[in-house]
Amino acid sequence: MQITKQRYYTPEEYLELEEAAEYKSEYIDGQIIPIAGGTANHNRIAGNFYAVLNFAFRQQEYEVFNSDMRLWIHQKHIYTYPDVTVIAGEPEFFHNRTDIITNPQLIVEVLSKSTKNYDREDQFQVYRTISTFQEYLLIDQTRIHVEQFSKIGKKQWTLREYDEEDEAIALVTVQFEISLQDLYNKVKFEPVEAEPESTDVEGLG
């Protein structure tokens, strides 16, 4: 069996390619991984959260970025694009590049079928290597369901879940609330297919 060796890209090569690329890609320790396009629901949810959060923090010492802002994770040699990022105080830019940040406090990811396990496990583990990172929200786009992880101590995190339309998410690391109605505004869920009824064949024949 022939094994194809993957090419290793330096971070500098990735950034150069990314600037000229038509579509965004992540960089994971030498490998360049294309980012799949988001669905309408993905964009609605991320846009709703970003818009409300950005307006709420307009007079506060926080800055909110959407998925156009790149994040550099030094310990893992990863460049990625979180759906929503909140920074306390001034952004710390990598090598003075205003398109790369390094000091997120809160990260929000909208889950998709292809990335939900990665976002919940591997990605969360990667994000936890960032010293400023304190809160993580995972938002389901196929149903009303949000997982909120917040740091309470060294290597200690708590989990709270939201799944009722009349609930409101209260952030832990910053003073902010958003109702699930506002978060899921204009989101159209696909109908759940009913289980086919079993046919009773007892007594036939």
Side-chain angles (χ1 to χ4, degrees):
M1 181 178 68
Q2 183 178 4
I3 298 176
T4 302
K5 185 177 181 181
Q6 289 183 310
R7 179 186 166 182
Y8 176 89
Y9 292 88
T10 67
E12 293 76 19
E13 287 176 321
Y14 159 77
L15 291 174
E16 185 176 348
L17 290 169
E18 192 73 348
E19 287 182 0
E22 186 176 352
Y23 302 104
K24 291 186 294 188
S25 297
E26 293 182 319
Y27 176 86
I28 303 179
D29 197 22
Q31 303 300 317
I32 295 178
I33 313 296
I35 297 174
T39 64
N41 278 351
H42 184 285
N43 282 277
R44 290 175 183 128
I45 294 168
N48 290 341
F49 199 100
Y50 170 80
V52 176
L53 197 59
N54 192 48
F55 183 79
F57 288 163
R58 65 196 184 282
Q59 301 295 337
Q60 298 187 39
E61 297 297 318
Y62 296 98
E63 195 150 4
V64 187
F65 294 105
N66 61 20
S67 59
D68 289 332
M69 180 60 75
R70 190 184 297 111
L71 171 65
W72 168 243
I73 306 170
H74 175 72
Q75 287 195 32
K76 298 295 183 178
H77 295 96
I78 290 175
Y79 282 110
T80 188
Y81 294 88
D83 289 323
V84 180
T85 307
V86 176
I87 289 174
E90 293 293 325
E92 294 178 7
F93 294 112
F94 183 63
H95 287 178
N96 295 319
R97 290 187 53 136
T98 57
D99 59 345
I100 305 172
I101 55 175
T102 62
N103 62 325
Q105 177 171 305
L106 165 71
I107 294 176
V108 180
E109 297 285 10
V110 180
L111 300 177
S112 65
K113 291 180 180 178
S114 61
T115 66
K116 62 182 180 180
N117 291 331
Y118 174 74
D119 287 334
R120 185 175 288 112
E121 298 174 11
D122 296 348
Q123 186 82 309
F124 186 26
Q125 187 176 30
V126 166
Y127 285 154
R128 293 200 303 269
T129 67
I130 305 171
S131 61
T132 57
F133 177 58
Q134 297 181 38
E135 193 165 2
Y136 192 37
L137 289 183
L138 295 172
I139 305 172
D140 199 321
Q141 64 171 298
T142 63
R143 61 188 174 120
I144 295 178
H145 187 254
V146 179
E147 295 170 284
Q148 177 187 33
F149 297 89
S150 54
K151 190 173 184 178
I152 58 173
K154 186 176 181 180
K155 299 182 181 180
Q156 290 182 302
W157 292 75
T158 61
L159 167 64
R160 180 173 177 181
E161 296 182 80
Y162 303 83
D163 57 10
E164 300 290 341
E165 192 173 351
D166 59 353
E167 287 185 292
I169 301 170
L171 298 185
V172 175
T173 59
V174 295
Q175 190 172 354
F176 173 80
E177 284 193 6
I178 182 172
S179 69
L180 266 66
Q181 285 185 331
D182 288 339
L183 179 62
Y184 284 96
N185 182 43
K186 296 185 179 179
V187 171
K188 297 175 175 61
F189 298 118
E190 294 182 4
V192 178
E193 294 184 4
E195 292 289 334
E197 294 184 6
S198 60
T199 303
D200 187 0
V201 296
E202 185 176 354
L204 296 180

